[in-house]
Amino acid sequence: MFLHIGKDVIIKNKDIIGIFNLEYIKNTKEYKSMYNDLTEKKDILNVSDECEKSFILTENDKKIKGYITKIGTSTITKRLI
């Protein structure tokens, strides 16, 4: 199955490691470190216009990627069910 996360971006459900609410994690040192690492490697994609609500972490072929989307975590979870 696939998950649409905005701006014509679709990811495989099986690749999802975690879905995080940015409101709760954006100020943590763990998120900031992960965000900086993914940005350096150009492995983060922001598909939100301005309102960033969720951070999705994926792994495919041992490659970690991050996605920032304006879709809330509860809506994403409902789409996965």
Side-chain angles (χ1 to χ4, degrees):
M1 298 283 293
F2 296 91
L3 174 67
H4 177 262
I5 59 169
K7 287 193 178 179
D8 298 328
V9 176
I10 298 172
I11 57 177
K12 293 179 184 176
N13 292 2
K14 68 176 186 152
D15 293 346
I16 297 174
I17 297 171
I19 302 166
F20 306 94
N21 185 328
L22 276 175
E23 182 179 334
Y24 299 119
I25 69 164
K26 67 182 173 186
N27 292 320
T28 65
K29 65 181 177 182
E30 293 85 358
Y31 172 73
K32 290 176 182 179
S33 174
M34 187 180 345
Y35 180 85
N36 289 335
D37 289 345
L38 291 171
T39 301
E40 276 182 27
K41 297 175 185 174
K42 297 185 172 94
D43 284 333
I44 194 157
L45 181 62
N46 190 332
V47 293
S48 69
D49 294 324
E50 290 179 17
C51 183
E52 299 175 344
K53 291 186 178 179
S54 300
F55 175 71
I56 302 171
L57 192 62
T58 65
E59 180 180 15
N60 186 349
D61 294 328
K62 298 184 182 181
K63 184 167 182 165
I64 304 287
K65 283 192 172 187
Y67 299 88
I68 297 174
T69 181
K70 66 181 178 180
I71 302 170
T73 54
S74 62
T75 302
I76 293 170
T77 304
K78 289 176 187 175
R79 291 181 181 183
L80 290 173
I81 298 175

